[in-house]
Structures are given as C-alpha cells and as structure tokens.
C-alpha cells in the first residue's frame, strides 16, 4: 500500500532516508553523552546505553527470526529483475562466505527485509529520548522525524510497508 501511496524517490534521491537516519543517530549519540559536557545528572549515560543496547540486541534477535521465517523479494532498484546487482556472485573462498561479500553485500543486499533495522534503531532512540529527555518540543520533533523516516524508507523502496509497520 505504501508503494501505491508514495512516489518512488529513485536512485538519485535514495540518500534522503539515510540522511534522516544519520541525523537521528548522531543527535541521539550527542544527547546521550551531554551529561559529560554540562555535568547534569538527569540520567546515567552508562545505564541508558546499557538499556538501549539490550533492547537493540533483543530487537535484532527478533529480526533474525523473522528474516529466516519470511522471504520477500527486495524492493530496491538493485534487486529488480534485469539488474546486474540483483544477484551476488558466488563466493570464491571461506572469507567471502563469512563476510557475505562485504561491503557489496551490505550495500546491495536483497531480501533482509522484515523488519526494518533502521526503523528499530530510530524508534529505540526516539522512545529513549521521549522517556529520559526534558525538552517537549524536541520530543515532538523526534516523533515527527520517525514518521518522516518511515515514509522515506518506503518511498526509497528500501523496505516494504509491512517491514516498517512491524518495526513500529
């Protein structure tokens, strides 16, 4: 449904979702370490990161389970029929098997969809700021950025709508 509702961004604007994700990630990273700069004790950075990382590990474990139990064709341009990047070349040695053709397989991988890892990271960061942050306007802006990130992921055809919905 998302593909029908949102126009495709295309290869030239596919970076937009990555830019939004990077800005959310870096903002959260800077905010989480601000007690060291401003010497405020609203939260303890180590405990915050311990909770965030524990949740991310649990989420990635669930993602692995859904990844192995579902199979959808990749929606991105490089996964479509006729693309030279749609299939990875067979591995030539053990190192390539273990690294899954790194970095080409990471950049041009197809099929690791349900659910969106970008959305999980975004939602964990936004939810953490919502709980521990103090600025109401920034909280609202963070949720708006999460919604925009969701739409951009679908519009750039990096994930199907179901991948983003399951992550939410």
């Amino acid at each position: 449904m998302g593909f029908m509702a949102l126009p495709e961004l295309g290869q030239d604007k596919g970076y937009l979702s990555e830019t939004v994700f990077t800005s959310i990630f870096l903002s959260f990273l800077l905010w989480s370490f601000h007690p060291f700069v401003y010497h405020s004790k609203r939260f303890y950075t180590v405990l915050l990161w311990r909770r965030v990382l524990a949740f991310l590990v649990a989420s990635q474990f669930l993602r692995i389970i859904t990844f192995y139990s579902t199979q959808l064709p990749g929606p991105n341009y490089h996964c479509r029929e006729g693309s030279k990047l749609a299939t990875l070349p067979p591995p030539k040695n053990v190192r390539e098997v273990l690294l899954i053709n790194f970095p080409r397989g990471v950049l041009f991988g197809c099929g690791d969809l349900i659910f969106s890892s970008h959305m999980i990271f975004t939602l964990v960061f936004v939810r953490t700021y919502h709980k521990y942050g103090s600025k109401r306007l920034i909280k609202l802006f963070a949720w708006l950025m999460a919604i925009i990130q969701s739409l951009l992921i679908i519009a750039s055809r990096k994930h199907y709508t179901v991948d983003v919905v399951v992550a939410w």
Side-chain angles (χ1 to χ4, degrees), residues 92-112:
K92 296 177 181 135
N93 54 42
V94 174
R95 190 179 136 264
E96 285 186 9
V97 170
L98 295 175
L99 295 178
I100 312 171
N101 207 0
F102 184 81
R104 187 173 174 261
V106 173
L107 298 174
F108 299 109
C110 299
D112 62 335

Side-chain angles (χ1 to χ4, degrees), residues 89-158:
K92 296 177 181 135
N93 54 42
V94 174
R95 190 179 136 264
E96 285 186 9
V97 170
L98 295 175
L99 295 178
I100 312 171
N101 207 0
F102 184 81
R104 187 173 174 261
V106 173
L107 298 174
F108 299 109
C110 299
D112 62 335
L113 302 168
I114 293 181
F115 43 86
S116 171
S117 179
H118 281 73
M119 279 312 303
I120 286 297
F121 275 78
T122 297
L123 292 171
V124 168
F125 295 158
V126 169
R127 179 69 183 108
T128 303
Y129 184 81
H130 188 86
K131 181 171 181 159
Y132 297 104
S134 58
K135 307 288 186 209
R136 187 174 183 189
L137 188 61
I138 294 176
K139 290 178 185 183
L140 293 172
F141 182 70
W143 284 111
L144 177 66
M145 292 298 288
I147 293 168
I148 290 170
Q149 173 72 14
S150 300
L151 298 174
L152 286 173
I153 285 173
I154 296 167
S156 63
R157 304 302 191 252
K158 293 183 178 171

